[in-house]
Amino acid sequence: MLGATNLSDDSRAPLLIHSVADLRRWRRNALMAGKTVGMVPTMGALHDGHLNLVRRARTSCDLVVVCIYVNPSQFAPHEDLDQYPRTLQQDIALLGGSAKDAARQTDASATGCLADVVFAPSNESVYPDGITTVRKDQRGAFVEVLGLSHQMEGVTRPHFFRGVATIVTKLINLVQPDRVFFGQKDAQQCVVVRSLIRNLCLPVEMTVVETTREQDGLAMSSRNRYLTAEERQPAIALYKALRRAQTAYLEGERRRSALMELANAEISAAPNVSLEYLSLAHPRTLDELDNIGEDGAIISGAIRMPSARLIDNLLLGCEL
């Protein structure tokens, strides 16, 4: 049973909910109390990038739900589903931190923590017909966003955005948030989810929060913990490449050929770094651009290192 549904509860930890029934009971109480709800979907292994999303949600909404669920349908059979870090107790402790410096301090905060609720469902709750990473064996309802899922990340991970679109739709249906919060680091995901919300007429607003970075510029990611000490310095090659292209853009360069040449040179000089792709795409259609126009562009890429695959992006004259 749900242990605490009182929205004025003053405990120092988020309420942990596993079952759909308990989540719906909590959400019904929030609705009856007239509270707005923000949702931050994550796969756990939280870092400060995730916490910045939660902080933004706290400043915008009365109550904050952080979803922690490692979603099988966005992994291929050869990918790291089984190895993906699962640190639920540590995540809950991080979300139990004081919201004083990040939140509006009113009676809207149920716990005084960064998050009011952690929703950590089971696979059976999310996929009642079962779930496998083998697409041909999957059963049940899945969601695809056509036209935005096949390029960039979708070239080497063609299964990925089908899984993302499906789990985001399920979590929005389960939590019924007023607002959802995503990080810019996953720029293509942000474009896909915006299209999903618009095309399925989902009654939710979406906010994209700027990428949180380490001091040297490396985008924070749960997979950064895979990096060895020797790989940590070369890992910033992608960020340096994107920054070099961004600098040229700010100085007036608009040609794809020139920007990509600068970025490729930076990555080629880094040891143990293999470039998977570089993209210069329109911020809404994700079409590759020969020249950047008035709508701006997303410059993004992925690199592989012996221990990890890393992605990053920068925005050139546009917003997500």
Side-chain angles (χ1 to χ4, degrees):
M1 294 297 292
L2 187 59
T5 59
N6 186 338
L7 296 181
S8 64
D9 182 81
D10 204 19
S11 62
R12 292 295 302 143
L15 180 65
L16 176 61
I17 297 178
H18 293 292
S19 81
V20 171
D22 286 347
L23 177 69
R24 286 176 171 160
R25 189 176 301 115
W26 178 90
R27 185 64 181 92
R28 184 165 55 250
N29 290 342
L31 179 64
M32 294 297 291
K35 305 296 186 181
T36 58
V37 173
M39 183 182 83
V40 180
T42 82
M43 293 207 301
L46 302 184
H47 49 69
D48 206 45
H50 295 112
L51 298 184
N52 281 340
L53 295 178
V54 181
R55 292 179 183 113
R56 177 66 71 84
R58 173 61 77 198
T59 64
S60 304
C61 303
D62 297 329
L63 299 169
V64 178
V65 176
V66 175
C67 301
I68 296 179
Y69 179 66
V70 181
N71 176 36
S73 69
Q74 66 194 63
F75 290 80
H78 67 279
E79 293 182 332
D80 59 342
L81 174 61
D82 292 337
Q83 290 74 41
Y84 196 88
R86 292 163 170 82
T87 58
L88 181 60
Q89 293 307 312
Q90 180 181 331
D91 294 343
I92 291 172
L94 288 173
L95 294 169
S98 173
K100 286 183 179 179
D101 294 331
R104 300 176 302 174
Q105 290 304 297
T106 72
D107 61 359
S109 175
T111 64
C113 304
L114 286 179
D116 299 290
V117 168
V118 170
F119 178 50
S122 65
N123 284 339
E124 292 74 21
S125 296
V126 177
Y127 293 98
D129 291 327
I131 187 60
T132 172
T133 59
V134 180
R135 180 166 175 170
K136 68 180 181 62
D137 294 334
Q138 291 174 347
R139 298 292 182 268
F142 293 83
V143 180
E144 291 187 88
V145 177
L146 302 180
L148 299 173
S149 301
H150 65 278
Q151 60 276 73
M152 298 158 70
E153 285 292 288
V155 173
T156 54
R157 306 186 72 197
H159 57 284
F160 179 69
F161 288 112
R162 179 175 181 264
V164 168
T166 298
I167 190 59
V168 169
T169 302
K170 286 173 178 282
L171 291 175
I172 289 175
N173 285 336
L174 287 166
V175 178
Q176 298 181 23
D178 298 282
R179 299 181 182 91
V180 292
F181 297 81
F182 288 85
Q184 181 194 314
K185 185 182 79 69
D186 300 290
Q188 185 176 8
Q189 175 175 277
C190 292
V191 176
V192 167
V193 172
R194 267 202 199 283
S195 178
L196 169 76
I197 290 170
R198 183 175 67 253
N199 280 278
L200 293 186
C201 307
L202 299 178
V204 63
E205 296 179 18
M206 177 178 169
T207 297
V208 176
V209 179
E210 185 178 359
T211 302
T212 303
R213 300 185 179 276
E214 306 284 356
Q215 284 190 333
D216 60 3
L218 182 67
M220 287 191 179
S221 169
S222 299
R223 288 187 170 92
N224 287 353
R225 65 185 66 196
Y226 295 164
L227 295 170
T228 66
E230 293 74 21
E231 292 169 344
R232 182 58 184 78
Q233 179 59 33
I236 66 172
L238 178 56
Y239 174 66
K240 291 170 67 177
L242 300 178
R243 281 283 295 158
R244 192 169 176 184
Q246 184 186 53
T247 298
Y249 169 81
L250 294 174
E251 292 173 349
E253 183 59 73
R254 296 294 184 270
R255 296 171 299 160
R256 176 191 186 88
S257 57
L259 296 173
M260 291 305 193
E261 182 177 356
L262 291 170
N264 273 300
E266 194 71 49
I267 293 172
S268 299
N272 297 316
V273 172
S274 174
L275 177 64
E276 191 168 279
Y277 74 86
L278 276 175
S279 168
L280 187 71
H282 189 279
R284 290 190 299 278
T285 67
L286 299 185
D287 292 336
E288 292 294 321
L289 300 173
D290 292 326
N291 294 280
I292 301 176
E294 61 182 14
D295 292 336
I298 304 168
I299 186 166
S300 65
I303 59 172
R304 288 193 179 273
M305 305 190 71
S307 299
R309 178 182 185 271
L310 305 176
I311 65 172
D312 203 352
N313 69 84
L314 293 173
L315 304 181
L316 308 181
C318 66
E319 296 180 353
L320 293 180

